[in-house]
Amino acid sequence: MFKSLLEKCLPVLQETGAEVFLPKGSIIRDDCLYVLLEGSICLCNTDPNGDKIVLMYFEPGMLLNFIPCISSGIEMHPITRNRLVVRKTFAMRVRKDSRCLCVSQTAFMEKMSTSFDLHRLLVSALTENLLNVLSLAVNSPALPAAQRVCRLLSQVSRKEAGRPCAGLTYAEIAAHLAIHKMTVAKIFQALKQEGIVQTQGRAWYIF
């Protein structure tokens, strides 16, 4: 549903936007909407100690940053606006060099006012993100660490077996699941011994 809608809306977005290159480590702008074409981007939160925790991963073919983009251009109830203050601790960070279609807030809002398909695309993207959040939420801390790691790997991996997956480091997996990095390393070692996972540098593969 979402992919077919995105393909249908892509020509309109290409008319109003431009392709941009985003280097690893950069933070994307709040006032633009992006379609990720190549690379990897994540939503992360910085806690009071300065530690960064990854909350969601975006892969090519996904629409991102549309909530900050839209919310900054429309009137909102003061209570709703105040709730968005927490967003200041969140950032969309580029995990590896990425190529995106970038559409400014003004251009997108103008096109959306005359396009029902763009409205449908936003609702579909929001639903997809909500499902991803719920999927991660059911990875309960009460479950064994090995089970939680395997669930996370299955959620961020590509469907085709034997292809490189999102190169999450042990530290990122540990931070995401609130477990020790050495625990993650031991779990990966066990998975490699069973022939389930293979690693090559920072990339890993599921079989």
Side-chain angles (χ1 to χ4, degrees), residues 70 74 107-116 118-119 122:
I70 299 300
I74 59 177
F108 183 78
M109 296 292 284
E110 182 178 335
K111 285 292 183 181
M112 193 172 68
S113 65
T114 58
S115 173
F116 178 66
L118 284 180
H119 282 270
L122 284 182

Side-chain angles (χ1 to χ4, degrees), residues 52-54 57 95 136 139 145-154 156 165-185 187-188 191 197 199 202-204 206:
K52 293 179 178 60
I53 300 174
V54 177
Y57 300 91
R95 284 182 39 77
L136 291 174
N139 207 345
Q147 185 174 341
R148 298 181 65 211
V149 169
C150 289
R151 281 192 175 190
L152 178 60
L153 299 188
S154 67
V156 300
C165 303
L168 304 179
T169 65
Y170 293 168
E172 288 171 331
I173 294 173
H176 189 73
L177 298 177
I179 58 180
H180 198 279
K181 185 169 67 173
M182 286 303 298
T183 302
V184 176
I187 292 169
F188 261 84
L191 292 174
V197 167
T199 58
R202 291 170 62 90
W204 45 268
I206 291 181

Side-chain angles (χ1 to χ4, degrees), residues 7-204:
E7 288 175 4
K8 187 175 182 180
C9 294
L10 202 54
V12 177
L13 296 174
Q14 289 171 329
E15 286 177 10
T16 56
E19 284 194 16
V20 295
F21 171 77
L22 302 173
K24 177 182 177 180
S26 59
I27 296 176
I28 66 177
R29 296 168 48 180
D30 269 358
D31 58 349
C32 291
L33 175 144
Y34 296 82
V35 178
L36 182 57
L37 303 174
E38 292 178 3
S40 178
I41 295 176
C42 64
L43 172 64
C44 60
N45 179 49
T46 304
D47 66 20
N49 297 321
D51 296 325
K52 293 179 178 60
I53 300 174
V54 177
L55 302 173
M56 188 182 300
Y57 300 91
F58 295 88
E59 296 181 348
M62 297 183 74
L63 188 72
L64 56 142
N65 208 52
F66 54 90
I67 293 179
C69 175
I70 299 300
S71 64
S72 60
I74 59 177
E75 291 295 327
M76 288 189 176
H77 190 282
I79 294 177
T80 305
R81 180 67 66 184
N82 289 338
R83 287 176 178 171
L84 292 177
V85 172
V86 71
R87 199 179 69 208
K88 293 181 179 178
T89 65
F90 291 77
M92 299 292 290
R93 186 176 297 274
V94 181
R95 284 182 39 77
K96 61 181 179 181
D97 291 351
S98 299
R99 184 171 61 89
C100 295
L101 175 62
C102 175
V103 183
S104 72
Q105 176 216 68
T106 304
F108 183 78
M109 296 292 284
E110 182 178 335
K111 285 292 183 181
M112 193 172 68
S113 65
T114 58
S115 173
F116 178 66
D117 284 334
L118 284 180
H119 282 270
R120 293 176 63 208
L121 180 67
L122 284 182
V123 173
S124 181
L126 184 60
T127 302
E128 183 125 331
N129 287 350
L130 179 59
L131 289 173
N132 287 336
V133 169
L134 291 175
S135 178
L136 291 174
V138 299
N139 207 345
S140 169
L143 297 173
Q147 185 174 341
R148 298 181 65 211
V149 169
C150 289
R151 281 192 175 190
L152 178 60
L153 299 188
S154 67
Q155 288 162 358
V156 300
S157 65
R158 297 180 181 178
K159 292 181 180 179
E160 300 89 346
R163 296 190 59 184
C165 303
L168 304 179
T169 65
Y170 293 168
E172 288 171 331
I173 294 173
H176 189 73
L177 298 177
I179 58 180
H180 198 279
K181 185 169 67 173
M182 286 303 298
T183 302
V184 176
K186 290 177 181 178
I187 292 169
F188 261 84
Q189 185 62 38
L191 292 174
K192 284 191 285 186
Q193 288 175 353
E194 293 294 327
I196 299 172
V197 167
Q198 239 180 15
T199 58
Q200 183 178 348
R202 291 170 62 90
W204 45 268

